[in-house]
Amino acid sequence: MARVTVVPADRLIIVDGYALCFEYAAPDGMHALQWDGEGGHIEWLGSEKNPPHNEVLDADSYADLVAPYVKAWEEEKARQEQAAAEAEAARLAEYNSEAARFERLRAERDRRLTATDYLLMQDYPLDNTHKEAVRIYRQALRDLPSQEGAPWDGGGESTPWPDLPAGI
């Protein structure tokens, strides 16, 4: 049997060291439940008629008093895992959407254009042949998003990037 801790005021159930906080039903006045795998106790808060006390739990009381919390914890854990899987699937779908791939392609293209801006400055020592090669390279970068097959993988390895002319 699992080790279980239940603290209703904190909306906390811990099963075998794995804590989850969520809404669940618990009896009024219950401060905590502790189960060590073989036995345990429920800590009850005091009231006008009853002082605070502990109720001993044994193996016979597990099914009625401990197992419902384990079941609630298992259901919540499954719900959270399903929600996380759905969120990850949605994130991947968005990341791989055509719009997102075009956005990444354009961002990388713009980075490559910016990296060559200095080459076309009037005072940069580059001869006209090389400047024309840079202009052609930059135009190829600008034309990339309109090419057949764009956006490929969003500017990654499958993107047919033009090469910056050698010697520049």
Side-chain angles (χ1 to χ4, degrees), residues 112 152-161:
R112 291 177 185 223
W152 303 283
D153 61 351
E157 293 180 14
S158 297
T159 302
W161 292 108

Side-chain angles (χ1 to χ4, degrees), residues 41-60:
H41 64 276
I42 297 177
E43 300 169 17
W44 294 99
L45 299 171
S47 66
E48 289 181 26
K49 296 180 181 182
N50 280 331
H53 66 283
N54 288 350
E55 176 184 345
V56 175
L57 302 175
D58 58 21
D60 292 337

Side-chain angles (χ1 to χ4, degrees), residues 140-161:
L141 287 173
R142 284 188 205 92
D143 294 341
L144 198 61
S146 62
Q147 287 185 10
E148 181 76 27
W152 303 283
D153 61 351
E157 293 180 14
S158 297
T159 302
W161 292 108

Side-chain angles (χ1 to χ4, degrees), residues 4 37 56 99 118 164:
V4 181
V56 175
Y118 74 97
L164 184 61

